[in-house]
Amino acid sequence: MMRRTFLIALPYIWLLALFLVPFAIVLKISLSDIALARPPYMPQLDLTGGLAAVWDFITQLDFENFVFLTSDDLYWKAYLSSLKIAALSTAITLVVGYPIAYAMARAAKEWRPTLLMLVILPFWTSFLIRVYSWMGILSTEGVLNQFLIGIGAISEPLQILNTQTAVYIGIVYTYLPFMILPIYSALEKLDDSLLEAAEDLGCSRTTAFWLVTLPLSKGGVIAGCFLVFIPTLGEFVIPSLLGGSETLMIGKVLWEEFFSNRDWPVASAVAVILLLILIIPIVLFQRNEQKQREAEG
Amino acid sequence: MAQSKVKPKQSPSTAAFEPWNDPNEKPLIQFKGVTKRFGDFTAIDNLTLDIFEREFFALLGPSGCGKTTMMRMLAGFETPTEGQILLSGRDIGDVPPNKRAVNMMFQSYALFPHLSVWDNIAFGLRREKRDKDSIASRVDEMLRLTRLEKFANRKPHQISGGQRQRVALARSLAKAPKLLLLDEPLGALDRKLREETQFELMDIQETTGTTFVIVTHDQEEAMTVASRVAVMDEGKMVQVATPQTIYEAPNSVYVASFIGDVNLIRGTANLRNVATAAPAAPESESETKPEPVTKIETDEDPRKPQPNDYGKWLHDRLLAPILGQRVDEPKALPAPTKAELAAAAELQAPVDVPEGGLTIDWAENTPALIAANGDPEFDGNEVVLALRPEKMGIAKTKPDAPNVMRGKVIDIAYLGNISTYHVELKTGTMVKAQVANTRRVSRRNITWEDEVWVSFSATAGVVLTE
Ligand SMILES: Nc1ncnc2c1ncn2[C@@H]1O[C@H](COP(=O)(O)OP(=O)(O)OP(=O)(O)O)[C@@H](O)[C@H]1O
Ligand SMILES: [Mg+2]
């Protein structure tokens, strides 16, 4: 009995220690005021002062920073632009990833592990190095431009780096495996005899795809989309390294608030809002997984 | 067993359905020298076969003999490595599955897991661009037929295995195709539902004129529904014939032992000399000749009417003074005349022991077995006499039969309507004799360890070579 309770409690303890406590701290900071101190915010909680000190601390907290976020349209524009970039790159990743997953699932059985390996291979090197190499590829003196000039397709180097395009390229490249893997796993489970049955009942290959393959890989598609959308929304490295001045993403704003402005309370407020925005897709994602499991069970 | 079943196929209206015997009849399906190989494994080996319209064609054979492969070639999922398949005289080699007027019920059911039972059944109809109402009424009809009305809105994973099988059946039936391929359609159903569905299928077949090719592991099912049965082994057709022929006249030991129970008695065949048939079997003659005579003399019918006590009292009081004492002993019949005896012998002889055929030496110091229907071609060969257990009689006293074998009862299997006696012959061979249980078990006079005689007529067996 004790053991069971402990086993059930374990993930909750984990969640408490690594998610809820940090979130509580961030939330607390977002309700504080900026201060020239170390750490750079006020008030500080002093537990040695007893209940009176705690009460004093609580009364000093306010929503000033959240009000501030609405006063400057930089913030909501950044949120909106992040949502747009995340949505669009998710769509592009899906369009690129689905055919790859499909081809992998249709490939001869003995080839599949190799193909799967190739999809996972990029994870073996550091994410940062891969983004830097994209800078090397996309810059005006980069590999891509030199190649295009070399074959005579263009005479002037293209400005790709530090544009929105470079951001999309970077995001799609980075998150493609997260799209391919769940779709592949759904397609691989698909029983070939279902497609034969569809054909037997009068479907062409194309209609069989739309009526059988696609609906049956729906779970994988949804999972893949969330797996790309959620981290992209808060993405910071890719827009700051590949994007230009016009790339406005909330991750970047957050970073600047923390490190350039050293305004921890505002930065925390930005993070809290971001988390609230993310809760919606995360809950939807969980629900999809649940439904998937039930359908299989 | 199989032949105890009512076969509508034998009813007068369909008795004449034998298109395979009619040279003018055009087959619906023709396999012409079809071979299918997977790598260097030959799944179907040079198959040539005609299946006719309105047939109910059953494929029987052990697992892995190529039944599903044959179906898949008909449905268009496999192409023959060699040879041609014609449908209504047209080579269907390059016709894709969705353009063939053929529907298949998959052995694995292949139900669409994301669609409800209703939508699964409607799937094929929707592809035909039918209007909504006709689709709905057809689906409902199929649901009723397969008793799935209650489950129309469930998903395949929410119903039982047998229900899933019925959905698969309903889905393949819905389009009323010209040719329906059923790969073990009823395996997961309980006996009662299976039998009902078998009759439904036969009904559907009769009303719609659909041609059925059905794979089954249940011989009884094949016997019940099929117009012809094909017995396959390792990609080859061993025998294609009507259920009766397959059962009564198998063409090989393989078919005989695959279909139903069979006793196989090995021996050497000799041409049966008709002229010396009678003296050659003196022991059977000495038994047969006096038998009818003694039978008639000692024939005492215990059921001959006898007066009861009240009747006796009445007789003694009223009738005895007038008619004299009553004689209780049965009156002996007059001895049969010579003419009567001859007539009786004439009546019996041709029925019991037809002339011709073979004798089979099967064990030393035992009279040869008579197989009057044996092919004289086998003279001198090693042969196998295949005997169905239900054609064997069993008795404690030596019966009057052309073929008798002595043995000891080792085991008795009680199967309700019949009992099977496992008898070990003097040679060590085990044979089975099946007897209908017309009397109660307690009244049975043969039991374990009894010395018995197993007997069968001169035409009961089939002589085969291996
Ligand atoms: N795609 C394939 N590749 C290789 N071998 C195959 C393939 N399909 C079938 N076979 C082989 O061909 C043989 C016949 O298979 P098939 O499925 O026709 O058997 P079956 O008679 O339907 O058996 P069962 O009664 O078990 O369903 C088997 O030995 C099987 O292993
Ligand atoms: Mg099979």
Side-chain angles (χ1 to χ4, degrees):
Chain A
M1 196 58 219
M2 269 301 290
R3 258 180 73 126
R4 255 192 68 178
T5 322
F6 178 72
L7 277 179
I8 294 169
L10 204 61
Y12 287 101
I13 295 168
W14 182 272
L15 198 68
L16 192 76
L18 296 175
F19 177 74
L20 286 179
V21 170
F23 178 71
I25 295 171
V26 170
L27 186 67
K28 187 203 85 174
I29 298 174
S30 74
L31 300 175
S32 311
D33 293 319
I34 188 165
L36 277 172
R38 190 179 281 246
Y41 55 87
M42 284 269 298
Q44 302 291 334
L45 181 57
D46 181 16
L47 283 175
T48 53
L51 260 183
V54 173
W55 179 246
D56 187 43
F57 164 77
I58 289 171
T59 48
Q60 287 186 53
L61 297 177
D62 54 42
F63 288 94
E64 205 181 314
N65 297 314
F66 292 93
V67 177
F68 172 70
L69 291 188
T70 60
S71 65
D72 192 339
D73 54 1
L74 165 82
Y75 297 103
W76 67 261
K77 273 186 181 156
Y79 282 119
L80 220 61
S81 149
S82 289
L83 280 171
K84 198 192 95 192
I85 291 174
L88 193 58
S89 27
T90 303
I92 299 171
T93 317
L94 176 62
V95 171
V96 177
Y98 198 99
I100 297 176
Y102 186 80
M104 282 168 63
R106 298 269 112 193
K109 257 212 159 65
E110 59 267 29
W111 276 101
R112 288 183 206 165
T114 318
L115 293 170
L116 210 56
M117 201 65 229
L118 287 174
V119 172
I120 304 169
L121 204 62
F123 291 119
W124 288 15
T125 51
S126 148
F127 165 61
L128 266 181
I129 291 177
R130 284 182 285 132
V131 177
Y132 272 110
S133 44
W134 272 109
M135 290 169 77
I137 294 169
L138 299 176
S139 70
T140 36
E141 307 87 47
V143 183
L144 183 65
N145 274 315
Q146 279 180 6
F147 172 72
L148 290 177
I149 291 170
I151 62 163
I154 49 169
S155 49
E156 286 285 298
L158 293 173
Q159 178 63 45
I160 306 174
L161 192 62
N162 303 328
T163 63
Q164 210 76 322
T165 318
V167 175
Y168 283 118
I169 291 175
I171 292 176
V172 170
Y173 162 78
T174 308
Y175 292 101
L176 197 58
F178 295 100
M179 185 62 87
I180 292 176
L181 294 178
I183 297 178
Y184 167 77
S185 119
L187 286 175
E188 208 220 357
K189 267 186 279 174
L190 190 85
D191 185 354
D192 277 349
S193 67
L194 293 181
L195 296 177
E196 285 178 350
E199 274 188 71
D200 187 64
L201 293 166
C203 282
S204 66
R205 297 246 163 137
T206 335
T207 12
F209 174 82
W210 289 108
L211 292 173
V212 179
T213 312
L214 199 59
L216 285 174
S217 58
K218 198 179 78 190
V221 169
I222 293 174
C225 285
F226 283 126
L227 286 178
V228 174
F229 182 83
I230 294 168
T232 305
L233 195 61
E235 183 55 57
F236 151 70
V237 176
I238 296 169
S240 53
L241 291 183
L242 301 179
S245 50
E246 90 273 31
T247 313
L248 193 58
M249 281 193 83
I250 201 66
K252 232 168 100 181
V253 172
L254 191 69
W255 194 86
E256 269 155 21
E257 290 296 347
F258 253 114
F259 298 101
S260 310
N261 298 352
R262 274 186 72 77
D263 191 344
W264 286 25
V266 168
S268 299
V270 170
V272 169
I273 298 286
L274 180 62
L275 192 82
L276 291 179
I277 294 174
L278 279 175
I279 277 176
I280 301 164
I282 287 172
V283 167
L284 287 177
F285 174 67
Q286 292 294 357
R287 196 172 294 171
N288 173 60
E289 292 285 287
Q290 181 97 13
K291 245 185 19 208
Q292 209 61 21
R293 268 196 299 278
E294 271 166 21
E296 276 162 21
Chain B
M1 253 215 65
Q3 61 272 84
S4 63
K5 220 166 219 155
V6 188
K7 286 183 208 163
K9 290 274 169 273
Q10 290 171 333
S11 68
S13 62
T14 48
F17 180 74
E18 285 184 343
W20 50 88
N21 286 335
D22 182 354
N24 295 327
E25 195 77 37
K26 288 259 183 305
L28 178 69
I29 307 162
Q30 286 171 283
F31 283 85
K32 287 191 168 169
V34 173
T35 296
K36 176 71 193 178
R37 288 192 200 94
F38 295 108
D40 48 9
F41 175 80
T42 308
I44 297 287
D45 194 0
N46 193 15
L47 172 71
T48 297
L49 174 71
D50 289 347
I51 299 174
F52 294 84
E53 209 166 321
R54 309 181 75 89
E55 258 208 86
F56 211 125
F57 194 88
L59 288 172
L60 272 179
S63 184
C65 69
K67 305 178 296 289
T68 301
T69 307
M70 199 181 138
M71 294 266 211
R72 288 174 59 80
M73 286 198 286
L74 277 174
F77 301 125
E78 308 281 3
T79 44
T81 319
E82 281 162 29
Q84 285 180 306
I85 303 174
L86 310 186
L87 185 70
S88 315
R90 209 171 121 240
D91 188 347
I92 51 170
D94 47 6
V95 181
N98 56 331
K99 296 271 157 42
R100 297 188 184 189
V102 175
N103 279 149
M104 175 156 169
M105 179 189 159
F106 288 72
Q107 194 170 7
S108 61
Y109 313 153
L111 299 180
F112 303 121
H114 58 298
L115 298 179
S116 68
V117 167
W118 205 96
D119 288 324
N120 261 285
I121 298 173
F123 192 93
L125 301 170
R126 292 210 169 113
R127 305 286 84 73
E128 285 178 344
K129 311 258 179 308
R130 292 207 202 180
D131 64 283
K132 271 218 170 81
D133 293 343
S134 87
I135 291 177
S137 69
R138 180 73 182 156
V139 173
D140 291 338
E141 193 185 329
M142 289 298 119
L143 286 171
R144 219 172 312 121
L145 183 70
T146 47
R147 317 237 173 107
L148 287 165
E149 297 104 319
K150 271 188 271 169
F151 309 103
N153 295 322
R154 299 228 194 139
K155 292 275 174 67
H157 68 92
Q158 294 166 323
I159 55 178
S160 79
Q163 289 159 353
R164 254 174 257 167
Q165 194 169 41
R166 280 182 276 157
V167 178
L169 182 64
R171 191 179 67 177
S172 62
L173 284 172
K175 285 184 88 169
K178 214 161 138 190
L179 172 62
L180 195 52
L181 308 171
L182 306 174
D183 201 344
E184 290 187 43
L186 312 175
L189 306 185
D190 63 77
R191 190 187 171 88
K192 187 159 169 284
L193 189 58
R194 184 159 70 219
E195 282 175 5
E196 282 170 8
T197 318
Q198 284 167 4
F199 285 105
E200 282 302 347
L201 285 180
M202 290 190 286
D203 252 8
I204 291 169
Q205 200 249 8
E206 243 148 65
T207 50
T208 61
T210 311
T211 307
F212 282 70
V213 178
I214 180 172
V215 169
T216 170
H217 279 296
D218 179 351
Q219 314 159 11
E220 233 180 88
E221 186 171 291
M223 296 281 173
T224 312
V225 298
S227 60
R228 277 193 303 163
V229 174
V231 181
M232 290 182 78
D233 186 29
E234 297 187 341
K236 286 201 170 75
M237 293 282 162
V238 185
Q239 188 172 14
V240 182
T242 60
Q244 291 97 312
T245 312
I246 291 266
Y247 191 79
E248 305 272 341
N251 67 358
S252 62
V253 175
Y254 178 81
V255 174
S257 46
F258 193 79
I259 308 286
D261 241 349
V262 74
N263 295 308
L264 299 174
I265 295 169
R266 279 155 227 278
T268 316
N270 291 307
L271 202 59
R272 185 158 161 248
N273 195 332
V274 184
T276 58
E283 75 287 336
S284 78
E285 201 192 20
S286 62
E287 297 285 335
T288 36
K289 281 282 158 153
E291 193 85 18
V293 182
T294 49
K295 230 181 195 168
I296 293 164
E297 277 176 353
T298 62
D299 192 11
E300 188 178 329
D301 191 353
R303 286 169 301 170
K304 198 191 287 187
Q306 297 278 343
N308 59 10
D309 288 349
Y310 183 68
K312 276 183 190 154
W313 178 83
L314 214 63
H315 181 95
D316 291 348
R317 280 292 163 91
L318 295 176
L319 296 179
I322 308 161
L323 297 173
Q325 279 305 310
R326 195 178 71 91
V327 187
D328 261 343
E329 297 86 56
K331 287 184 185 103
L333 288 170
T337 65
K338 273 200 170 151
E340 275 172 336
L341 274 176
E346 215 160 273
L347 253 175
Q348 286 196 336
V351 176
D352 271 357
V353 191
E355 295 175 359
L358 298 166
T359 58
I360 298 166
D361 287 318
W362 66 286
E364 276 177 34
N365 304 324
T366 30
L369 300 173
I370 300 168
N373 54 348
D375 187 343
E377 295 259 302
F378 293 153
D379 182 25
N381 289 358
E382 291 295 312
V383 293
V384 178
L385 182 64
L387 284 158
R388 298 291 178 197
E390 72 274 6
K391 298 224 164 99
M392 314 271 271
I394 186 164
K396 272 178 135 171
T397 53
K398 189 173 185 183
D400 169 28
N403 292 307
V404 286
M405 301 185 289
R406 283 213 82 167
K408 193 165 75 176
V409 176
I410 298 297
D411 203 0
I412 304 171
Y414 176 69
L415 303 172
N417 53 342
I418 49 170
S419 287
T420 305
Y421 294 84
H422 295 244
V423 178
E424 184 177 7
L425 301 181
K426 285 281 175 268
T427 52
T429 316
M430 294 290 295
V431 295
K432 287 181 221 167
Q434 225 163 43
V435 179
N437 288 329
T438 46
R439 312 174 106 201
R440 311 212 33 167
V441 183
S442 52
R443 298 268 212 82
R444 229 165 30 181
N445 61 355
I446 298 173
T447 178
W448 285 267
E449 301 295 319
D450 275 357
E451 289 289 332
V452 290
W453 294 90
V454 176
S455 64
F456 53 95
S457 79
T459 51
V462 181
V463 183
L464 302 164
T465 51
E466 273 189 299

